[in-house]
Amino acid sequence: MLLRRLPSTAVSLATAALSRRSTSYLLSSQRRLQSFNSISFYPTLSFRSFCSTSEISPEFTDLITDQSSKRGPLKPGLYLVGTPIGNLEDITLRALRVLKSADVILSEDTRHSGKLLHYYNIKTPLLSYHKYNESQREHKVLKRLKQGEIVALISDAGMPGISDPGTELAKICVDENIPVIPIPGPSAFLTALSASGLSTDEFTFVGFLPKHAGSRKERLIASASETTTQIFYVPPHKLGQFLEESSLIFGDSRQCVIARELTKIHEEFWRGTLGTAKEAFSTRQPKGEITLLIEGNSNSSVETPSESQLENDLRELISNGHSLSSAVKLVAEGTSMKKKTIYSLALRKFVKKTKADDSD
């Protein structure tokens, strides 16, 4: 896979070098395979394992199985396996070993995951496991785990349980004293954060915002006041809505990074202010998964909102079903004003009004 990215001259030189050295490597391959972590086994693999874009050489996965036997069998339990977020090369050797050794692989989308397994010549059976059937699957999976099976759980991309199915099953296994073993792998929000240029000292991963408009606003208000980098997952068809709503709450001047199609051919990092982003994406809807990062609030003093702004925010939250005290708390979190001051305003504007309405 590495050689296909080199210029043609480099490829021919590398191929020649492999040919001259292949005999000596093959003679000493048994000794060199003693350590799975050593890279000395690569020359013994078929050349197509590096160049094929459709499937890895079976010799590669056979080698993993061979080395697994030397390390001893995997212990029974639930394995949460991180998988590539776009580029199939971004998978660990340990993840491949677990997927090949498992009795069953729970998969968010069996068709999608089937491509990954086919690429690495892994024949382990797949069982669908997603948000629409996880409650029905839990009993069956739990039974298999109690019988001592090795169950691997993967999502469509990244780590299971992070904005993906897996959290509830992991909780149940912990309660039942069944081992839960994480197999670290790629993560979209960490990948985006590392290359964003925003602060990485502290950050808040929010994930997907709620569908309900009132709940979205509550979450954005809370995020806008935080000094840490805020990280969101945004569906491409909702990017315009997100930028419109967030710019009103965070302000047009807040810096943001829109990371799209991470690790894929069309990977893109767009950087600028929320206001500029709103204009830039008003006429174009990008494709692919989006991780959107917003810089933390660097102002030590937040601009004091007017009384009418506070009243409008309180009214919207109360109309969406929040109690008076809950609405006051949420508004206070997004401003520099004291909660007591906002509560007094709420009593004056809404409690008296409610009593007047009742008397009518």
Side-chain angles (χ1 to χ4, degrees), residues 328-344:
V328 168
K329 181 181 177 182
L330 288 168
V331 172
E333 287 177 351
T335 72
S336 59
M337 296 183 67
K338 292 182 179 180
K339 182 179 176 182
K340 184 178 180 181
T341 304
I342 299 174
Y343 192 71
S344 297

Side-chain angles (χ1 to χ4, degrees), residues 148-167:
E149 290 194 9
I150 297 169
V151 177
L153 172 61
I154 61 177
S155 64
D156 285 349
M159 286 298 297
I162 309 299
S163 294
D164 275 320
T167 303

